[in-house]
Amino acid sequence: AYFSLLEATCCRSGKAVIIQAMNRYTADESELSRFRKQINTVLHLDLDGVLRPDSLEESDSYLFAVADDFDAKLLPSIIKRRTFELDETLNFAMNLIGTIGEAHAAQLVFKDLNPGMILYNPDTRQTRLISVGMATDDGESGLPLSDSDFVKTALPYVAPEITGRFHRVSGYYSDYYSFGAILFYLLTQRPPFIESNPIKLVNSILVQTPKPPSKINPTIPHPISDIILKLLSKRPEDRYQ
């Protein structure tokens, strides 16, 4: 995320909360505008799978939104320690695809779904997205390939058509690609393609065939591996519809 995510305790209620905050002095106006737009979009939509703050607040130094904590951690911090077992992966997949379906029903396409957007509670197996990603972007500015955080956290999970170098517009099928890339990550502890250079990474997304997950982690059943590879198809029409 391009904003800070903090855990705190509410002084008035004593409840644990999650704060999404952006520093006015370090963010430029376009970033502040994007943050406002994202939070306001979440506030006006009823999406169970997206973290919903009570309101968007502003102070002299920060824009911030406060939501109830559900004792969750960002997905990458969990995957650093372990891969998911198959049953946990399938449960996670059902929750995430349910959120994706909710968003699509509301005419919202995330475009850059990635593990860094996902909060997960391993005990309850609850998932929540911390933002709606690039869904509120106008799409005219292109991908921020000069942003090292974006290249590291989001770019490995975007569909070929999101790169701007594939002659197709983005759509619901773009989120299905990202969904497949996230499942790949859950079961193998790595994205489908690993490149530190963003141009080479984009090229891999466009033309390279990912290694079957079952080749990386032999405990993955071949049918599950095949489902993930179909979600990662280059052409949108070759993915699940």
Side-chain angles (χ1 to χ4, degrees):
Y2 61 97
F3 50 81
S4 298
L5 194 69
L6 310 168
E7 292 180 314
T9 301
C10 178
C11 296
R12 290 190 294 261
S13 67
K15 293 195 307 182
V17 295
I18 297 172
I19 302 173
Q20 295 165 279
M22 177 167 280
N23 191 318
R24 287 179 178 273
Y25 298 112
T26 58
D28 60 35
E29 190 52 46
S30 66
E31 290 173 322
L32 293 170
S33 176
R34 184 177 185 228
F35 184 71
R36 287 190 189 94
K37 193 172 182 180
Q38 286 209 1
I39 296 298
N40 285 324
T41 297
V42 173
L43 288 172
H44 288 89
L45 291 175
D46 185 19
L47 299 176
D48 290 338
V50 179
L51 193 68
R52 193 174 194 277
D54 294 327
S55 62
L56 175 64
E57 307 290 341
E58 303 198 21
S59 69
D60 291 340
S61 303
Y62 288 93
L63 295 182
F64 62 94
V66 181
D68 290 339
D69 194 350
F70 62 104
D71 200 22
K73 302 296 182 186
L74 284 171
L75 191 59
S77 69
I78 297 171
I79 298 299
K80 281 180 182 177
R81 300 192 299 270
R82 65 176 179 89
T83 55
F84 277 32
E85 298 295 334
L86 184 60
D87 70 315
E88 189 175 14
T89 300
L90 295 177
N91 181 273
F92 177 95
M94 292 299 293
N95 288 337
L96 183 56
I97 200 64
T99 299
I100 293 171
E102 277 188 313
H104 291 174
Q107 306 301 309
L108 205 65
V109 177
F110 294 107
K111 302 178 189 174
D112 66 336
L113 272 175
N114 67 82
M117 289 171 59
I118 302 172
L119 284 168
Y120 179 69
N121 182 322
D123 296 325
T124 64
R125 295 190 173 182
Q126 284 181 289
T127 61
R128 293 286 187 277
L129 301 183
I130 60 172
S131 80
V132 292
M134 292 168 58
T136 58
D137 294 359
D138 58 20
E140 295 178 359
S141 56
L143 295 179
L145 297 184
S146 60
D147 183 336
S148 60
D149 286 338
F150 177 85
V151 169
K152 181 179 178 181
T153 62
L155 185 58
Y157 302 91
V158 301
E161 60 274 13
I162 298 296
T163 66
R165 294 166 171 81
F166 195 78
H167 299 300
R168 297 293 295 270
V169 297
S170 62
Y172 67 89
Y173 39 76
S174 304
D175 287 343
Y176 291 166
Y177 179 98
S178 298
F179 174 61
I182 292 169
L183 297 185
F184 190 110
Y185 171 74
L186 288 181
L187 292 169
T188 67
Q189 293 183 300
R190 48 158 286 187
F193 304 105
I194 300 175
E195 289 284 357
S196 58
N197 182 296
I199 302 302
K200 290 182 178 179
L201 179 54
V202 168
N203 183 68
S204 294
I205 291 169
L206 290 173
V207 302
Q208 298 295 323
T209 300
K211 191 173 184 178
S214 58
K215 294 287 187 181
I216 302 171
N217 179 356
T219 67
I220 302 171
H222 287 290
I224 299 297
S225 185
D226 291 343
I227 288 171
I228 292 172
L229 289 178
K230 184 173 177 65
L231 288 164
L232 294 174
S233 296
K234 305 300 183 190
R235 300 192 310 163
E237 59 267 29
D238 292 335
R239 299 170 206 154
Y240 291 103
Q241 304 300 307

